[in-house]
Amino acid sequence: MSKSPNGHLMTESLGRKAEAFLDEHRETIRKQAEIMLAHSAADIARMSTEDIQKLLFEFQVHQIELKMQNEELNRAHQELTASRDSYAQLYDASPIGYLTLNEAGIIQKANVAVAVLLGGLKEELINKRLGQFIHPSDQDNYYLFLHRLLAQKTEQVLSAKIRKSCDSLTDPKCQYVSLCEEARLSQPCDRNNNITYIECCASVIYNDNNVLQICMIIHNVTERKQAQETIACLNDKLEQKIRRQTNELTLTNLSLVKKVEELRHSKRQLVEREAKLNSIFNASVEGIITIDMTDIIVSANAAVETIFGYKPEELIGCNINKLMQSSPREMNDCNMSRTVKMADQIREIEGIRKNGSIVPLDLSVAEFSIDNAHYFTNIVRDISLRKHQELQDKEHLDELAHVTRLGLMGEMASGIAHEVNQPLAAISSYTQASLNLMSAKNLDKIKLSEILSKTQQQALRAGRIIHRMREFIKSHPKHRSTADLNTLIHEAADLCIAELKQNYIRLTFQLENNLPPIDVDHVQIEQVLINLIRNSVDALKDLPANQQRQVSIHSQLIPNDGIQVRVKDNGPGIDEEQQQKILTPFYTTKADGMGMGLSISRSLIAAHDGNLQFNSQSGKGTTFYFTLPVRRKSNERN
């Protein structure tokens, strides 16, 4: 089958051999006939019996030879028929198309593969021009191909397209199209399913009759062509994708270059900012000390030398207890239940200088993390000057409070004098009665003892009033001690009782029992209470005589460990303009007032970590109230 393109010539060769064999036997028969003709009847009659027998024997021999030759011819004919049938089967069963054309391009013979390829039966292709099956776009190439073939008489090859009348089973789906989908390109590769690609290989031969014939082998290269077109399409699309990705990468690269430049700029800014922060860090007047979780100092600024006397490099690697009696981190842990934000806490602590002396400090702590390691930055400020100034301010406040107490006592002198005159008058009367009893003939010692006892009580009463006045107005060092606030309220009210009676003012108390003790300066709190009571008296004394005048004092425990005291009157109230100025120094509504009472009262309450406020409505009276903490730390006492 290596020469299958000329396979049909094998059958023709066998036929020629058979005809040659017949010709050979025809010659033998002809010779025998000539011999018989040569022996005419007359000759046969003249022949002897021996010659006739010899002639018959020759005829018998020739007859036997003819039979043998006939059998050989039958066998050759059977072999020829079998060979022809085998060739026909191979010719039609071949997957490769075979055509025989005349020099005009008309189909003389075709196998089944060609018929399927061209879309019809092989019998229907006979005597049809092959050119009518060629695609119009390849018609010119086809006829040039025939022209070259006939002119050059050499093997020629043509690649062309044929158009099928209907879909053919020989037009397989291009398996490579799936690559387009796998590549996820935007558009699939187009294919024309009505076009079949063929490759023709033709040569010219001459038959026995010396007639020119064109033998053609046709290969279906549709799948290969479609694969090539698909690959070309894919390559084109991949090139487009690569160009697009290249452009994107170029843009990305430009963006990265821009970002790198931005990062460099940011790095320069960070370096500049770090230099600036280091400059601020070292120029800060506050000491900035950073410690780790084990209280070891990892950094300190230049200000620590001014505050503690140590150079920063002397402190690196040392424990923070070298500068403070307790760790700020531990202090913060203890106070975490009260507040969460460390930066919002400012504590007063005592620092230890290099020479061993104590320095008062304000301390605030900030926590931060770097690479999962926690650090605490302690910011400390030397408050020695502030403490000294606060001490001077407190001394000045004490002096002002003393002056105002003297003025207040001067204003209350007439009422207090009236209070003192009552026990003195009683003492005088009791003394006169005692003298009268002693002059009597019968001395009643029991009655005299009762009168002398009453005299003693009135003398003690006058002594207590004078002692209280003396204690109230005298200048003394500020001293705080534990006191019961309700007791201080009653003692302050006792000093004002004469003035309340003179102005027909009713005083009532609504004091909460079992209040916790407070740590205060007794005299200063009494001074505040007296100022507030007398302020209410001044507001009530000008009311009409028929209008009830009333002052009430309230005490109660409030949230956040504090006690609130309220002094309320039913006077005319304070107008809006006065409310803006009532607590400012030297503002007064009295013709002979100094305007220092409420201002100093607010300062005294503030010195006790409290707050003095008021509320008032015109025609409905005024309420002044202040709060004091229940307990104070020992290191805050003066």
Side-chain angles (χ1 to χ4, degrees):
M1 294 299 291
S2 61
K3 295 185 179 180
S4 57
N6 298 318
H8 63 287
L9 299 178
M10 295 173 63
T11 302
E12 294 180 357
S13 177
L14 290 173
R16 287 196 296 272
K17 290 180 179 180
E19 289 177 358
F21 181 77
L22 289 174
D23 290 341
E24 180 181 354
H25 285 282
R26 287 191 190 99
E27 185 63 25
T28 303
I29 294 170
R30 185 180 58 78
K31 288 180 179 181
Q32 290 178 354
E34 288 177 353
I35 294 171
M36 290 180 68
L37 289 174
H39 295 81
S40 61
D43 292 333
I44 294 174
R46 289 194 300 269
M47 291 177 65
S48 63
T49 303
E50 184 178 350
D51 291 334
I52 291 173
Q53 288 179 346
K54 184 178 179 180
L55 180 62
L56 287 175
F57 178 76
E58 290 178 356
F59 272 116
Q60 289 176 348
V61 170
H62 286 299
Q63 185 178 5
I64 292 170
E65 288 178 354
L66 286 175
K67 286 182 180 179
M68 292 176 64
Q69 290 174 352
N70 186 49
E71 289 176 358
E72 185 179 353
L73 181 62
N74 287 335
R75 284 196 302 272
H77 183 266
Q78 290 175 357
E79 290 177 0
L80 178 63
T81 302
S83 177
R84 183 190 63 191
D85 293 341
S86 177
Y87 165 75
Q89 291 176 357
L90 292 174
Y91 184 74
D92 286 333
S94 175
I96 300 174
Y98 298 115
L99 277 178
T100 301
L101 309 176
N102 61 15
E103 59 182 340
I106 297 173
I107 299 173
Q108 302 296 310
K109 195 174 182 179
N111 69 345
V112 175
V114 169
V116 174
L117 190 62
L118 298 181
L121 299 175
K122 67 177 183 177
E123 292 80 6
E124 297 175 351
L125 299 179
I126 305 302
N127 294 326
K128 287 186 179 180
R129 291 184 178 275
L130 178 60
Q132 72 183 68
F133 297 98
I134 301 299
H135 194 274
S137 63
D138 290 328
Q139 289 283 332
D140 293 342
N141 292 334
Y142 169 70
Y143 287 109
L144 287 173
F145 162 76
L146 285 181
H147 177 73
R148 287 194 303 270
L149 181 64
L150 295 173
Q152 299 176 8
K153 302 294 190 299
T154 58
E155 186 176 296
Q156 300 290 327
V157 178
L158 170 68
S159 294
K161 300 185 288 292
I162 60 175
R163 176 174 291 174
K164 297 182 297 182
S165 59
C166 60
D167 293 337
S168 173
L169 296 176
T170 60
D171 183 23
K173 180 179 179 181
C174 177
Q175 59 181 341
Y176 303 102
V177 176
S178 60
L179 293 176
C180 294
E181 299 174 357
E182 293 177 4
R184 297 183 179 178
L185 301 178
S186 59
Q187 296 294 333
C189 299
D190 295 331
R191 293 189 301 117
N192 191 341
N193 292 328
N194 291 325
I195 294 179
T196 301
Y197 295 88
I198 61 172
E199 187 175 86
C200 304
C201 181
S203 60
V204 175
I205 63 172
Y206 291 90
N207 61 13
D208 293 338
N209 297 323
N210 201 27
V211 177
L212 184 145
Q213 290 182 329
I214 299 173
C215 294
M216 185 178 293
I217 302 172
I218 301 178
H219 295 278
N220 185 352
V221 293
T222 303
E223 183 175 352
R224 188 183 72 190
K225 279 287 187 180
Q226 288 181 344
Q228 290 174 350
E229 292 177 356
T230 302
I231 291 171
C233 172
L234 286 172
N235 287 336
D236 183 61
K237 292 183 180 296
L238 286 174
E239 286 178 2
Q240 294 177 8
K241 185 174 182 180
I242 290 171
R243 283 195 298 270
R244 185 173 64 252
Q245 290 180 342
T246 301
N247 292 334
E248 291 176 355
L249 288 174
T250 302
L251 293 175
T252 303
N253 186 46
L254 292 175
S255 177
L256 288 174
V257 170
K258 184 178 179 181
K259 288 183 178 179
V260 168
E261 185 60 32
E262 290 176 354
L263 287 174
R264 289 176 180 171
H265 180 67
S266 299
K267 184 177 180 180
R268 287 195 298 269
Q269 287 184 327
L270 286 174
V271 171
E272 293 173 358
R273 187 177 301 171
E274 184 176 359
K276 185 185 296 183
L277 289 176
N278 286 334
S279 175
I280 296 172
F281 178 75
N282 288 313
S284 174
V285 296
E286 288 89 2
I288 303 175
I289 307 167
T290 301
I291 62 174
D292 59 17
M293 291 296 293
T294 59
D295 293 337
I296 299 301
I297 299 173
V298 296
S299 69
N301 67 342
V304 297
E305 185 174 2
T306 305
I307 299 174
F308 296 100
Y310 293 100
K311 292 183 178 181
E313 53 270 20
E314 295 181 71
L315 297 175
I316 305 301
C318 298
N319 195 289
I320 191 65
N321 290 337
K322 188 172 185 178
L323 303 178
M324 306 173 191
Q325 294 179 349
S326 58
S327 168
R329 179 180 58 82
E330 294 174 352
M331 288 190 291
N332 180 73
D333 293 340
C334 294
N335 293 327
M336 281 300 288
S337 58
R338 297 183 181 181
T339 179
V340 177
K341 295 182 179 179
M342 294 178 292
D344 293 342
Q345 288 185 327
I346 298 179
R347 308 183 189 90
E348 289 188 10
I349 64 169
E350 291 182 347
I352 306 171
R353 287 195 175 100
K354 188 175 183 179
N355 58 10
S357 61
I358 301 299
V359 55
L361 301 172
D362 269 350
L363 169 68
S364 59
V365 183
E367 182 180 3
F368 64 93
S369 299
I370 298 178
D371 296 333
N372 295 325
H374 293 278
Y375 298 92
F376 296 86
T377 296
N378 308 291
I379 303 174
V380 294
R381 177 189 289 269
D382 186 350
I383 58 173
S384 301
L385 294 176
R386 193 186 76 190
K387 283 291 185 180
H388 179 70
Q389 185 64 40
E390 287 178 357
L391 181 60
Q392 288 184 334
D393 291 342
K394 289 177 181 179
E395 291 176 353
H396 183 60
L397 180 61
D398 291 341
E399 293 175 359
L400 286 176
H402 179 239
V403 171
T404 55
R405 285 199 298 275
L406 291 175
L408 185 62
M409 193 54 60
E411 294 176 1
M412 298 170 59
S414 60
I416 294 175
H418 178 73
E419 283 294 305
V420 174
N421 282 335
Q422 287 183 351
L424 290 177
I427 291 172
S428 178
S429 298
Y430 290 146
T431 303
Q432 186 62 47
S434 298
L435 291 173
N436 292 336
L437 286 174
M438 292 176 65
S439 300
K441 294 181 179 180
N442 297 320
L443 180 61
D444 189 348
K445 294 183 179 180
I446 295 175
K447 190 173 183 179
L448 179 60
S449 176
E450 292 177 356
I451 293 173
L452 291 176
S453 176
K454 291 179 180 180
T455 301
Q456 183 186 18
Q457 292 176 0
Q458 292 298 324
L460 291 174
R461 178 186 172 190
R464 283 197 299 272
I465 293 173
I466 294 172
H467 175 74
R468 193 176 301 156
M469 288 175 57
R470 183 170 176 271
E471 286 295 320
F472 184 71
I473 62 174
K474 76 176 181 179
S475 178
H476 58 83
K478 185 177 180 182
H479 175 70
R480 292 189 180 185
S481 59
T482 302
D484 179 71
L485 188 56
N486 288 342
T487 300
L488 296 180
I489 291 172
H490 282 293
E491 290 179 355
D494 287 344
L495 288 175
C496 300
I497 197 67
E499 197 166 3
L500 292 168
K501 290 179 180 179
Q502 288 178 1
N503 292 283
Y504 306 102
I505 298 172
R506 181 187 175 192
L507 178 63
T508 59
F509 299 94
Q510 295 182 18
L511 308 180
E512 184 175 332
N513 294 326
N514 302 319
L515 290 176
I518 56 175
D519 188 21
V520 295
D521 187 303
H522 296 201
V523 175
Q524 290 184 354
I525 298 304
E526 285 184 9
Q527 182 178 353
V528 172
L529 289 166
I530 292 171
N531 277 331
L532 297 181
I533 294 172
R534 294 198 71 254
N535 195 61
S536 296
V537 171
D538 290 335
L540 295 171
K541 65 183 181 182
D542 293 329
L543 290 179
N546 59 351
Q547 183 175 346
Q548 185 178 8
R549 305 171 183 179
Q550 185 171 346
V551 174
S552 61
I553 303 177
H554 305 255
S555 68
Q556 62 178 357
L557 190 65
I558 61 174
N560 300 323
D561 296 331
I563 299 177
Q564 185 184 80
V565 177
R566 289 181 294 158
V567 178
K568 181 179 180 181
D569 64 65
N570 63 339
I574 305 172
D575 60 38
E576 292 184 3
E577 182 180 355
Q578 292 176 340
Q579 289 182 21
Q580 303 298 324
K581 305 176 183 179
I582 194 70
L583 295 178
T584 58
F586 307 111
Y587 177 79
T588 181
T589 57
K590 305 175 186 177
D592 55 350
M594 293 188 299
M596 293 297 294
L598 291 175
S599 176
I600 290 179
S601 296
R602 183 172 67 172
S603 299
L604 293 175
I605 294 298
H608 286 78
D609 298 328
N611 189 23
L612 174 65
Q613 295 175 299
F614 72 94
N615 54 57
S616 178
Q617 292 184 1
S618 182
K620 294 185 179 180
T622 302
T623 301
F624 281 89
Y625 57 94
F626 62 87
T627 57
L628 293 172
V630 169
R631 58 179 65 91
R632 293 175 57 84
K633 296 180 181 179
S634 60
N635 61 354
E636 293 179 338
R637 293 178 183 175
N638 294 323

